Amino acid sequence: STDRVTFKAKEGASVHNTGDGLHFTAAGPVDAACDLAEFSFERNGGDGIHIALPHPNSRLDIVHHQGRLLDNTGDGADITAGRNGRQGFFDLIAARNDGKGLNKVDGGSNPGIVERCVIQDNGTGGLNFEGGSWTLVDSVIKGNGGDGVAVGAKKHTKTGHVTLLKRGTSVEDNQGHGVRVYPAEADAACDVVVENSRSTGNTGDGFHLDAGVAGSGTFRDSVVQGNDGRGLDLTGGSWTLEGTAVNGNGSDGIVVAAKKEFKGHVTLLKRGGSAERNGGDGVRVVAAEADAACRVVVQDSVCSGNASNGLHVAAALSGSSITLEWLDSSASGNSGSGMLIV
């Protein structure tokens, strides 16, 4: 049988405890719901919130409105469940925790949302999500000690359901990548949408896709600027950038590694995009494996003032096929070639 647990807390606080602010664990299957409103977890000796329901048949609904997760010795919230249900964090501040601001790991595929939240100055990272599909809206992820946003991709992620940034979200000044997608299991895949958002001033890449993740997505009307590493480090898949500025990053602006299973779907810059003043190439497309193939379109965009080449296409591996279309665009003032194809 499956136990049922419902926990509600409103207008209060759990503070200065030696252990966790909220500790809820169950080894067997449980159907749980946690509803928190205007409730804070601060200065606890463990996590602010610690929920561990690892049984594969356990299900957790969790919603937290207008709360604070501050100055805890562990994570602001560390939440694990066999499957997810409803999941949302609204008007939440998770700051100055020694661990991550929010760590949410489960085996489900239901959507979750982080809206109007501030995730700042946490010791080992801002947000870490594994399982489900997540949307970040009107939120700030800033000054964290690791990656700003880390997402563990799985092979059953539904196409079109991973929206990492949207409508005014800012990921800045983190001591790692701004946004990183990593493989949580073999054959992982993700679909990413970034709209009207910023990833700036991070010590790693602005957006980084780990090897082992088959990715695709769209960057629209966004800024990826002033990161110490690359602006966008992308692998395989279908990627489109529209009206997006990838400028002033310490290494290459945009890197796409083409693979053989993804063909004909790479539009790197479009509708007023730019890759300028980067510390390497503005745009670099490389064959990641033999027989790799992709089609590159640069349209109505600028690849100028980079420390190396404006556009660098390298199809050196056996059987590689890369097609380039350059439309109404310019490449000027680069320290290398405007367009280098080798």
Side-chain angles (χ1 to χ4, degrees):
S1 65
T2 299
D3 294 332
R4 295 180 182 274
V5 177
T6 299
F7 176 75
K8 295 184 178 182
K10 185 176 181 181
E11 297 178 347
S14 179
V15 301
H16 287 299
N17 298 290
T18 302
D20 303 319
L22 168 63
H23 184 93
F24 172 29
T25 62
V30 61
D31 190 346
C34 185
D35 189 350
L36 306 171
E38 300 177 57
F39 201 95
S40 298
F41 301 89
E42 303 180 31
R43 299 184 295 281
N44 294 290
D47 300 321
I49 299 172
H50 182 89
I51 299 176
L53 310 175
H55 194 281
N57 292 328
S58 288
R59 182 182 185 275
L60 174 66
D61 292 336
I62 182 164
V63 179
H64 196 174
H65 291 270
Q66 296 179 311
R68 298 191 300 179
L69 304 169
L70 303 178
D71 300 301
N72 296 288
T73 300
D75 296 332
D78 182 16
I79 302 168
T80 304
R83 294 184 293 120
N84 57 31
R86 293 186 309 120
Q87 46 188 356
F89 301 88
F90 305 91
D91 303 292
L92 184 73
I93 300 174
R96 302 187 304 276
N97 299 287
D98 290 355
K100 296 178 176 65
L102 173 59
N103 185 49
K104 177 76 166 60
V105 176
D106 56 63
S109 60
N110 287 317
I113 187 168
V114 174
E115 187 167 2
R116 299 182 305 275
C117 293
V118 176
I119 314 296
Q120 185 168 342
D121 297 331
N122 297 287
T124 61
L127 299 173
N128 183 72
F129 296 129
E130 217 174 278
S133 55
W134 286 88
T135 300
L136 276 64
V137 180
D138 290 336
S139 294
V140 175
I141 300 94
K142 180 178 181 180
N144 297 287
D147 299 325
V149 180
V151 177
K154 298 188 176 184
K155 60 185 176 182
H156 298 303
T157 299
K158 296 178 182 178
T159 300
H161 285 258
V162 180
T163 302
L164 289 176
L165 305 171
K166 190 174 182 180
R167 209 173 66 231
T169 290
S170 177
V171 181
E172 56 187 274
D173 301 329
N174 297 287
Q175 300 299 305
H177 302 306
V179 179
R180 174 187 171 221
V181 182
Y182 62 90
E185 61 186 15
D187 300 320
C190 71
D191 189 28
V192 177
V193 178
V194 178
E195 295 180 350
N196 301 113
S197 297
R198 300 173 60 87
S199 182
T200 62
N202 302 288
T203 63
D205 300 332
F207 183 97
H208 180 89
L209 194 69
D210 279 13
V213 179
S216 61
T218 301
F219 292 79
R220 185 177 296 116
D221 299 321
S222 295
V223 175
V224 183
Q225 182 170 306
N227 300 286
D228 290 354
R230 294 166 171 169
L232 303 175
D233 190 346
L234 310 174
T235 302
S238 171
W239 297 95
T240 300
L241 277 67
E242 297 183 5
T244 291
V246 186
N247 302 331
N249 298 286
S251 183
D252 301 313
I254 303 166
V255 176
V256 174
K259 293 190 173 184
K260 61 184 177 183
E261 65 264 36
F262 302 106
K263 297 183 179 181
H265 294 285
V266 181
T267 303
L268 284 177
L269 298 170
K270 190 176 181 181
R271 194 172 51 77
S274 62
E276 301 185 83
R277 304 182 306 281
N278 295 289
D281 296 326
V283 178
R284 182 157 63 94
V285 181
V286 299
E289 59 190 13
D291 300 320
C294 74
R295 172 174 169 262
V296 180
V297 179
V298 179
Q299 180 178 348
D300 188 27
S301 298
V302 179
C303 300
S304 297
N306 297 288
S308 189
N309 308 290
L311 171 67
H312 180 186
V313 177
L317 294 179
S318 173
S320 297
S321 173
I322 297 180
T323 301
L324 170 63
E325 296 182 26
W326 186 273
L327 307 171
D328 298 320
S329 298
S330 63
S332 62
N334 297 288
S335 296
S337 300
M339 291 177 280
L340 175 65
I341 302 174
V342 295

